[in-house]
Amino acid sequence: MEEPTFLFPPPDSDLDLSFTSTTTDRTFTSSARTSLARTSSLALSFNDRLSTASTAGDTVSSAVIRRPHRSSDPNWTAIKAATNLSSDGRLHLRHLKLIRHLGSGDLGRVFLCRLRDYDGANFALKVVDKDLLTPKKFSHAETEAEILHALDHPFLPTLYARIDVSHYTCLLIDYCPGGDLHALLRKQPGNRLTVSAARFFAAEILVSLEYLHALGVVYRDLKPENVLLREDGHVMLSDFDLCFKSDVTPTFECCKVNKHHVGPTYGCFGCNESRSRDSRVKVVAEFVAEPTTAFSRSCVGTHEYLAPELVSGNGHGNGVDWWAFGVFIYELLYGMTPFKGCSKEGTLRNIASNNDVKFHVAENEEVGMVEARDLIEKLLVKDPKKRLGCVRGATDVKRHPFFDGIKWPLIRTYKPPEVKGLLRRKKSDLIVTSKKIRKGWWKRLGCALRNKGARFDLLSNYSNNNHYCYVNNSKVR
């Protein structure tokens, strides 16, 4: 017999939040690496009996403006439909249905959820119990919420709503069914990717860091575990609780570029260029926004990805992200981090030493590995003042030959690589063709949804068939 449904849960009912799993300490191993600020045990239980009547007056739901880059996402249509039927025009916990527990962290737990009586949109709900947080961790949680609210980028999460109820803070963000990049690496032969696949993921992470740095945000926790994979195979950088913000002064600079060395570079915000009288030189106008004055003494991050200046404890800035980016590319190509020791302490000693990064050079290695090693060496310079990216950010990193052939404004249109275990749903599979609508308040908007475009193509911005590869030591389109 079908259970009755209601426009809203009855006043004496409890919200369906009865998940009881807890977290345990994660150890510093190759398969589970924890950030230094995430070593305490967490037992977060969402079993408080929060009735609809009691939460009505205590709930604060923050409205989030639809962002341009994700404005065509069908999730926004679902959110709008729910808020239109809400008595105060806001989203509340009573509108959500928890499906299963996805994972836990130092600050809270993450659930897969959907809107009640509507199964056409999946979300991730990050739940933070403020009563269990120390003042420092509470500050990290607020920083993450603030940063998520400001983001508008195809490779970063979208914050659909923030709901504060009782001592809980709930953040409704994108759900990535493809898992994380660390798990994908473990499915590959030798735990490593091909050069073309590594370049694909590195390029998308690069523009993500470029965007964050343009906002004055230093990420500080780059690692494959924090790179989630969307259902279309593209990335989504996650976990912003270890970030810190700094002032940034954007500049627009003109520089001469040798035509035979490097083509024009493109930032997240476009570019202009003109050809000089010398046919061998191009004058390129570049947008540069790098938080070069950023400074912090907090020792946070994952030990295998920590920069030398962070290990020393003398303070660090934006350079820690470019160091971590070099470690990130190294792990994608070699299946391990470059300074990994027999223990956590051994790894930190290797990072703090004066020894440069070492590579294993195979006899018949892939085309492009020479450029990859050169980029890694420039990123893993112990002195942050000499490290690639620390002065002009992603603008200089994009110039490196490893990324030659990439048209940065079209990066969203590149096809994800053929990688074992990578979820790559075809365009036709991502069209929302029909949805099972249960009896209840959602049915009242059935006609409105059809008229307002309930059918969406998640890959409407990915219709171009651009790709690139190496052939005989040269890149071709």
Side-chain angles (χ1 to χ4, degrees):
M1 180 178 178
E2 184 179 358
E3 62 181 16
T5 56
F6 303 89
L7 178 61
F8 299 116
D12 57 347
S13 67
D14 295 322
L15 297 179
D16 184 17
L17 302 170
S18 56
F19 288 86
T20 58
S21 59
T22 60
T23 66
T24 57
D25 291 333
R26 296 176 64 191
T27 57
F28 292 100
T29 65
S30 60
S31 60
R33 294 170 300 193
T34 311
S35 301
L36 295 184
R38 296 173 179 159
T39 57
S40 61
S41 177
L42 176 67
L44 175 61
S45 177
F46 214 174
N47 286 330
D48 296 66
R49 301 183 64 80
L50 302 174
S51 67
T52 304
S54 65
T55 60
D58 298 332
T59 302
V60 178
S61 178
S62 300
V64 178
I65 301 175
R66 184 184 300 198
R67 306 295 186 179
H69 279 106
R70 305 287 293 176
S71 59
S72 62
D73 194 315
N75 287 358
W76 277 118
T77 301
I79 294 293
K80 184 178 181 180
T83 55
N84 284 344
L85 286 178
S86 179
S87 58
D88 59 357
R90 295 178 180 273
L91 196 71
H92 296 272
L93 283 181
R94 62 176 178 265
H95 297 133
L96 304 178
K97 175 179 61 177
L98 300 189
I99 306 301
R100 61 185 174 90
H101 178 238
L102 295 175
S104 303
D106 186 51
L107 299 182
R109 297 194 294 164
V110 181
F111 300 94
L112 171 63
C113 73
R114 296 170 183 160
L115 293 170
R116 287 189 179 275
D117 301 325
Y118 179 69
D119 296 333
N122 291 325
F123 300 91
L125 183 70
K126 184 169 185 176
V127 181
V128 178
D129 188 342
K130 293 178 285 189
D131 285 355
L132 296 179
L133 301 181
T134 63
K136 186 175 182 179
K137 290 183 179 179
F138 178 78
S139 175
H140 289 168
E142 289 298 307
T143 297
E144 179 175 38
E146 179 184 352
I147 292 174
L148 285 173
H149 189 274
L151 299 182
D152 175 28
H153 194 274
F155 304 138
L156 295 172
T158 297
L159 178 64
Y160 296 98
R162 170 177 174 169
I163 304 173
D164 291 281
V165 50
S166 182
H167 50 92
Y168 295 108
T169 293
C170 305
L171 304 176
L172 193 67
I173 58 178
D174 293 301
Y175 167 63
C176 294
D180 61 69
L181 191 55
H182 182 265
L184 183 67
L185 280 176
R186 293 301 170 263
K187 299 176 182 179
Q188 311 309 312
N191 299 329
R192 67 190 66 166
L193 298 174
T194 63
V195 173
S196 59
R199 186 187 299 108
F200 174 86
F201 291 119
E204 294 194 340
I205 293 301
L206 176 56
V207 296
S208 302
L209 291 177
E210 178 185 32
Y211 179 83
L212 290 174
H213 284 198
L215 297 179
V217 175
V218 181
Y219 184 54
R220 294 199 296 187
D221 202 18
L222 177 60
K223 56 183 177 180
E225 291 91 331
N226 285 344
V227 178
L228 304 183
L229 302 172
R230 298 183 185 271
E231 58 186 357
D232 56 12
H234 292 269
V235 306
M236 187 186 85
L237 199 60
S238 66
D239 287 349
F240 299 88
D241 52 299
L242 299 186
C243 297
F244 77 96
K245 300 187 67 175
S246 174
D247 294 331
V248 61
T249 303
T251 60
F252 201 63
E253 304 174 358
C254 293
C255 64
K256 295 182 179 180
V257 180
N258 292 331
K259 182 180 178 181
H260 65 279
H261 283 307
V262 183
T265 58
Y266 299 81
C268 290
F269 310 95
C271 83
N272 294 310
E273 67 173 48
S274 61
R275 191 181 300 274
S276 68
R277 294 181 179 178
D278 187 346
S279 60
R280 295 173 299 175
V281 177
K282 282 187 176 181
V283 177
V284 181
E286 298 173 318
F287 176 84
V288 179
E290 185 70 10
T292 54
T293 61
F295 185 80
S296 174
R297 293 187 181 275
S298 301
C299 186
V300 298
T302 303
H303 68 283
E304 294 181 31
Y305 277 76
L306 296 181
E309 62 270 25
L310 205 155
V311 174
S312 67
N314 295 325
H316 60 273
N318 63 310
V320 298
D321 280 348
W322 299 119
W323 172 277
F325 187 57
V327 178
F328 176 79
I329 298 175
Y330 186 102
E331 183 170 6
L332 295 186
L333 293 172
Y334 289 94
M336 59 181 296
T337 53
F339 299 100
K340 184 175 177 60
C342 298
S343 63
K344 172 186 170 183
E345 291 73 18
T347 299
L348 296 178
R349 281 195 298 269
N350 293 338
I351 294 173
S353 69
N354 295 323
N355 298 328
D356 295 329
V357 59
K358 298 180 180 180
F359 300 94
H360 171 72
V361 181
E363 293 183 1
N364 298 318
E365 63 182 9
E366 283 187 83
V367 176
M369 284 298 293
V370 174
E371 292 86 350
R373 285 195 294 271
D374 183 71
L375 173 60
I376 293 171
E377 286 178 341
K378 287 179 168 60
L379 290 169
L380 298 185
V381 173
K382 299 295 180 76
D383 184 357
K385 296 180 181 179
K386 301 178 181 179
R387 189 177 303 152
L388 180 64
C390 288
V391 178
R392 301 177 73 245
T395 303
D396 284 344
V397 180
K398 288 179 177 180
R399 285 182 177 277
H400 194 275
F402 180 70
F403 293 113
D404 280 357
I406 297 180
K407 295 184 177 180
W408 296 101
L410 300 178
I411 190 169
R412 287 191 296 172
T413 70
Y414 285 110
K415 290 182 178 180
E418 296 286 347
V419 176
K420 178 183 177 181
L422 177 63
L423 179 65
R424 296 176 65 227
R425 293 188 180 179
K426 297 180 180 179
K427 181 177 179 179
S428 58
D429 296 334
L430 294 176
I431 299 177
V432 183
T433 55
S434 62
K435 298 178 176 67
K436 180 180 178 181
I437 303 177
R438 294 173 53 193
K439 296 179 180 179
W441 58 268
W442 192 267
K443 189 174 182 179
R444 296 171 55 185
L445 280 188
C447 181
L449 284 175
R450 289 191 294 272
N451 294 336
K452 294 183 179 180
R455 296 169 62 91
F456 281 89
D457 185 349
L458 292 181
L459 289 182
S460 58
N461 291 326
Y462 301 90
S463 58
N464 194 306
N465 291 328
N466 289 316
H467 62 279
Y468 55 90
C469 61
Y470 280 101
V471 177
N472 296 328
N473 294 324
S474 62
K475 299 183 186 67
V476 299
R477 292 286 302 168

